[in-house]
Amino acid sequence: MTQEWDAGRLDSDLEGVAFDTLAVRAGQHRTPEGEHSDPLFFTSSYVFRTAADAAARFAGEVPGNVYSRYTNPTVRAFEERIAALEGAEQAVATSTGMSAILSTVMALCSAGDHVLVSQSVFGSTISLFEKYFKRFGVQVDYVPLTDLAGWDQAIKANTKLLFVESPSNPLAELVDIAALAEIAHAKGAQLVVDNCFSTPALQQPLKLGADIVVHSATKFIDGQGRCMGGVVAGRSEQMKEVVGFLRTAGPSLSPFNAWIFLKGLETLNLRMRAHCANAQALAEWLEQQDGIDKVHYAGLHSHPQHELAKQQMSGFGAVVSFEVKGGKEGAWRFIDATRLISITANLGDSKTTITHPGTTSHGRLSPQEREAAGIRDSLIRVAVGLEDVADLKADLARGLAAL
């Protein structure tokens, strides 16, 4: 959009509005066409009025679009909406959730810097740190997510970042984000929180003291399993570095995917409340069934951090994990006996999914790494969708009957 166009009343006044209003309207800047829905800008490049105009935009001296690798109006609308929902100064969209993590670390860390990572993170996140960041001189150590004293003791003089998922994948472990942020800041480090499982509808880590939030927008932000993307949010000074990495390396979000995510955000709060209600009902039901050794869900009173979850989250999320009798063989029989639920490792979909983490999402980890992360052979993860909960119980009952 050029500076000569003033949308005036066409754009919504969002001062002081609530979360649901931001989720529907934040980030939209209407064009001279006066469109009501978010427009989709399919263009790789942009034209300039003069050579001087082009030079000024490339130099960052005047605002405006330059090249869709790092500036696109549809992508920018998504970034501004996420920033509004997370309470961030700025957000930067990326091609996937993993590229959001990649961009954060590459933008903020150098060879010789130290990063502390929770043991309870997604398998690909561990692989990224172990196989690639270490190769380029970033030092990496792992700490049990819930052990605040362990985090404090593990921080070194060169520790740059603390990286956590809370709730974690797939065991729904939590860390006291406010307390961990204080520990990090006292020693000059920054706290990065993967907020994928909660979304800003259920948890806003920046308001609890975290410095940076990352998301796989592929999951609940989309909400229907349609496309891939990621986003990083935090202070503008940090995000400028992430934009710099994006501009050069190019793990960019496509405009079409950004448009899909904008549509997903419009119903985010409604969907997350429905996901949480179904997940709570299934977790309570599973806990009463023979053949189930343990259920992992922060909404259960049996969860060791249930009270913490109530303090820092407004809902307990959609992911329920449980351990069955019979080890891997029992878990596979359970999964194969279902007939409604989709066998897939993705999550955040309106359709319920079921997977065996030890041989899918965490399958590339060594047995020792899986053990450290609490990923047992008997563990099954269900990402609860929006179907009728009675039908989901009936399908899981088929799995129970196969044990």
Side-chain angles (χ1 to χ4, degrees):
M1 185 186 303
T2 70
Q3 297 305 299
E4 296 173 9
W5 164 248
D6 182 5
R9 176 61 184 85
L10 295 183
D11 282 353
S12 300
D13 181 355
L14 299 179
E15 184 176 356
V17 302
F19 183 94
D20 284 344
T21 305
L22 292 173
V24 172
R25 292 184 176 270
Q28 184 173 10
H29 304 286
R30 292 188 172 89
T31 75
E33 300 296 338
E35 70 283 343
H36 188 230
S37 184
D38 299 281
L40 179 51
F41 286 86
F42 278 135
T43 183
S44 58
S45 62
Y46 306 86
V47 296
F48 311 100
R49 286 180 170 78
T50 64
D53 178 32
R57 286 206 219 169
F58 268 85
E61 296 169 356
V62 297
N65 294 307
V66 177
Y67 191 57
S68 276
R69 185 171 67 241
Y70 56 100
T71 60
N72 177 278
T74 310
V75 176
R76 183 171 62 247
F78 170 62
E79 292 171 334
E80 290 184 7
R81 193 168 296 178
I82 285 289
L85 296 179
E86 286 286 9
E89 292 179 0
Q90 185 178 349
V92 182
T94 63
S95 57
T96 66
M98 290 308 304
S99 65
I101 299 172
L102 171 70
S103 300
T104 300
V105 178
M106 292 296 288
L108 301 179
C109 293
S110 302
D113 285 339
H114 179 236
V115 179
L116 285 176
V117 181
S118 164
Q119 290 177 346
S120 305
V121 292
F122 179 46
S124 291
T125 302
I126 294 176
S127 295
L128 181 61
F129 279 97
E130 279 295 301
K131 295 181 179 179
Y132 300 103
F133 289 142
K134 279 187 174 182
R135 183 188 299 177
F136 292 97
V138 176
Q139 301 170 20
V140 183
D141 287 308
Y142 298 89
V143 181
L145 177 62
T146 62
D147 184 5
L148 291 175
W151 286 101
D152 191 31
Q153 294 167 7
I155 295 176
K156 303 177 181 178
N158 61 335
T159 301
K160 196 70 172 285
L161 301 176
L162 279 60
F163 184 95
V164 301
E165 291 175 10
S166 183
S168 68
N169 180 17
L171 297 178
E173 292 182 310
L174 288 85
V175 69
D176 186 329
I177 294 173
L180 188 57
E182 288 185 9
I183 290 170
H185 297 159
K187 296 190 176 181
Q190 299 183 69
L191 175 60
V192 182
V193 177
D194 186 330
N195 201 31
C196 174
F197 271 32
S198 294
T199 80
L202 304 183
Q203 177 177 264
Q204 295 166 315
L206 299 180
K207 293 182 179 179
L208 295 170
D211 299 282
I212 296 171
V213 168
V214 298
H215 286 279
S216 172
T218 310
K219 310 303 191 293
F220 296 103
I221 288 174
D222 174 7
Q224 295 183 48
R226 296 168 291 192
C227 55
M228 304 186 78
V231 64
V232 187
R235 294 189 298 275
S236 295
E237 112 184 55
Q238 304 159 314
M239 295 304 105
K240 285 178 184 176
E241 297 298 322
V242 179
V243 171
F245 177 76
L246 199 76
R247 178 173 183 160
T248 304
S252 310
L253 180 65
S254 77
F256 180 77
N257 288 12
W259 186 82
I260 291 289
F261 296 147
L262 283 166
K263 299 298 103 180
L265 286 173
E266 291 180 3
T267 61
L268 177 64
N269 201 23
L270 291 170
R271 288 186 288 104
M272 293 310 295
R273 301 301 160 189
H275 280 298
C276 290
N278 276 359
Q280 184 75 36
L282 281 185
E284 292 175 358
W285 178 79
L286 283 165
E287 203 169 38
Q288 302 303 315
Q289 303 307 306
D290 293 335
I292 303 293
D293 286 334
K294 188 173 185 180
V295 181
H296 303 272
Y297 185 66
L300 296 174
H301 291 284
S302 59
H303 191 284
Q305 296 158 305
H306 176 67
E307 292 302 318
L308 174 61
K310 288 167 59 178
Q311 292 171 23
Q312 66 185 25
M313 301 171 67
S314 61
F316 302 112
V319 179
V320 178
S321 294
F322 51 95
E323 297 171 36
V324 299
K325 299 185 185 302
K328 186 179 83 169
E329 292 74 18
W332 281 21
R333 285 198 304 272
F334 186 109
I335 292 168
D336 290 348
T338 59
R339 291 292 177 267
L340 173 70
I341 298 172
S342 307
I343 303 175
T344 177
N346 194 33
L347 58 93
D349 203 312
S350 57
K351 301 176 180 69
T352 299
T353 67
I354 190 168
T355 192
H356 182 250
T359 51
T360 58
S361 60
H362 293 70
R364 289 189 296 167
L365 303 184
S366 68
Q368 294 77 19
E369 288 171 329
R370 286 197 298 274
E371 180 65 28
I375 310 300
R376 298 183 178 87
D377 288 343
S378 58
L379 185 71
I380 293 172
R381 188 192 73 194
V382 172
V384 184
L386 303 178
E387 303 94 339
D388 189 292
V389 73
D391 294 328
L392 297 177
K393 289 179 181 179
D395 202 35
L396 292 178
R398 295 185 181 105
L400 287 165
L403 292 176

